[in-house]
């Protein structure tokens, strides 16, 4: 006997989200409250990573075991806290938010978290400020201005250690990347340009996960030095 599917697409999506949330590690009360506050008190609350992606980021940190993480685009601090939860003793996450209007909301949430000692939250342009830290990062999470993803990537690759990882968020952009009606949208154009750049870049290995808005995992190949100073930083 064939059972007809009577769910609407929205109901199916809501059901899928509920199923996934009930079969992974719990979000935790603090992150739940932060996500709720982000959606209530900020204009673009959906930009926060949320439960599923947050648990994935923590898991990836456990797998990669980075000593130093760079985050581009702190927003409300949700993803920073998730990644910091996965850091081992002595690990540090440096997170940059270019929009100074977010500081009053974000800083108290970061400082009130259980991993506050592992997070260095800064207001500024990561592309300009991160290289000044003199750190060779093991991992970076990029979730900033989609229009300049390609430029940000070229700025960051030299300060990622060979064998290190860059995670780029929103790389499917609600599937606008394949929708011709968005051909003149600057953010979509930026994401497409970034995706094309990564696809052709022989310095890295890459894979796109169709999770939420798309998450690209990029591994800088061992032995690839994009800056002569990297030899001094090792």
């Amino acid at each position: 006997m064939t059972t007809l599917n009577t769910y609407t697409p929205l109901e199916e999506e809501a059901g899928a989200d509920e199923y996934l949330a009930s079969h992974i590690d719990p979000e935790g009360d603090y992150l739940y409250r932060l996500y709720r506050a982000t959606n209530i008190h900020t204009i673009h609350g959906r930009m926060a990573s949320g439960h599923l992606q947050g648990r994935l980021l923590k898991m990836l940190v456990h797998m990669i075991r980075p000593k130093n993480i760079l985050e581009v685009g702190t927003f409300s601090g949700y993803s920073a806290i998730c990644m910091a939860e996965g850091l081992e003793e002595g690990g540090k996450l440096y997170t940059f938010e270019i929009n100074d209007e977010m500081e009053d909301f974000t800083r108290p949430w970061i400082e009130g978290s259980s991993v506050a000692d592992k997070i260095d939250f800064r207001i500024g342009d990561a592309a300009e400020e991160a290289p000044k830290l003199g750190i060779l990062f093991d991992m970076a999470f990029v979730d900033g201005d989609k229009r300049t993803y390609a430029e940000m990537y070229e700025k960051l690759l030299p300060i990622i250690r060979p064998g290190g990882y860059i995670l780029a968020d929103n790389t499917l952009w609600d599937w606008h990347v394949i929708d011709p009606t968005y051909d003149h949208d600057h953010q979509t154009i930026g994401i497409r340009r970034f995706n094309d750049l990564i696809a052709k870049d022989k310095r890295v290995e890459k894979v796109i996960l169709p999770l939420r808005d798309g998450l690209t995992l990029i591994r800088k190949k061992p032995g690839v030095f994009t800056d002569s100073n990297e030899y001094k930083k090792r």
Side-chain angles (χ1 to χ4, degrees):
M1 178 178 178
T2 302
T3 302
L4 294 178
N5 184 357
T6 59
Y7 289 104
T8 67
L10 286 177
E11 287 173 332
E12 287 182 343
E13 183 177 349
D17 288 345
E18 183 178 343
Y19 184 85
L20 288 168
S22 65
H23 288 79
I24 63 175
D25 286 341
E27 184 176 30
D29 178 67
Y30 194 81
L31 286 170
Y32 170 80
R33 289 189 290 113
L34 170 54
Y35 190 75
R36 187 171 185 273
T38 301
N39 280 273
I40 292 172
H41 299 294
T42 69
I43 298 174
H44 302 291
R46 186 175 177 270
M47 288 168 52
S49 289
H51 182 188
L52 175 60
Q53 188 176 37
R55 294 306 86 194
L56 174 62
L57 289 173
K58 179 183 177 181
M59 182 73 75
L60 289 171
V61 172
H62 278 313
M63 294 167 67
I64 297 170
R65 302 180 67 184
K67 180 180 180 182
N68 293 300
I69 301 175
L70 172 64
E71 180 179 44
V72 180
T74 315
F75 190 45
S76 66
Y78 191 103
S79 53
I81 293 172
C82 291
M83 288 186 286
E85 287 178 343
L87 280 170
E88 297 180 352
E89 191 67 31
K92 199 77 174 181
L93 182 143
Y94 298 81
T95 180
F96 287 84
E97 174 55 52
I98 200 167
N99 180 8
D100 59 1
E101 294 182 356
M102 285 299 300
E103 183 170 13
D104 289 344
F105 177 90
T106 302
R107 191 171 294 281
W109 280 101
I110 288 178
E111 293 180 349
S113 73
S114 62
V115 289
D117 61 321
K118 296 182 178 182
I119 301 175
D120 186 332
F121 172 44
R122 303 180 180 219
I123 297 295
D125 184 353
E128 299 301 324
E129 299 302 322
K132 298 177 184 178
L133 295 175
I135 296 171
L136 198 57
F137 292 94
D138 307 293
M139 173 179 161
F141 179 54
V142 180
D143 192 15
D145 187 349
K146 316 310 170 193
R147 297 169 296 182
T148 58
Y149 258 32
E151 290 78 10
M152 179 64 72
Y153 170 74
E154 293 292 1
K155 287 272 191 176
L156 295 187
L157 195 60
I159 59 173
I160 300 295
R161 69 165 174 82
Y165 291 81
I166 297 175
L167 281 55
D169 202 13
N170 307 119
T171 49
L172 296 178
W173 204 230
D174 203 22
W175 290 105
H176 294 168
V177 289
I178 58 172
D179 187 342
T181 62
Y182 287 87
D183 284 352
H184 301 290
D185 176 70
H186 292 297
Q187 296 191 87
T188 302
I189 293 169
I191 291 292
R192 289 173 178 171
R193 190 160 55 90
F194 170 77
N195 288 343
D196 290 344
L197 170 65
I198 300 303
K200 298 174 183 176
D201 194 345
K202 302 300 184 184
R203 299 171 294 179
V204 298
E205 300 167 316
K206 73 289 291 185
V207 63
I208 300 178
L209 302 181
L211 175 73
R212 293 183 81 241
D213 234 2
L215 180 68
T216 300
L217 310 184
I218 303 163
R219 180 175 182 257
K220 184 174 178 179
K221 292 180 180 178
V224 172
F225 291 90
T226 48
D227 183 340
S228 60
N229 290 326
E230 288 187 18
Y231 289 101
K232 302 175 183 177
K233 296 176 185 174
R234 295 186 75 189

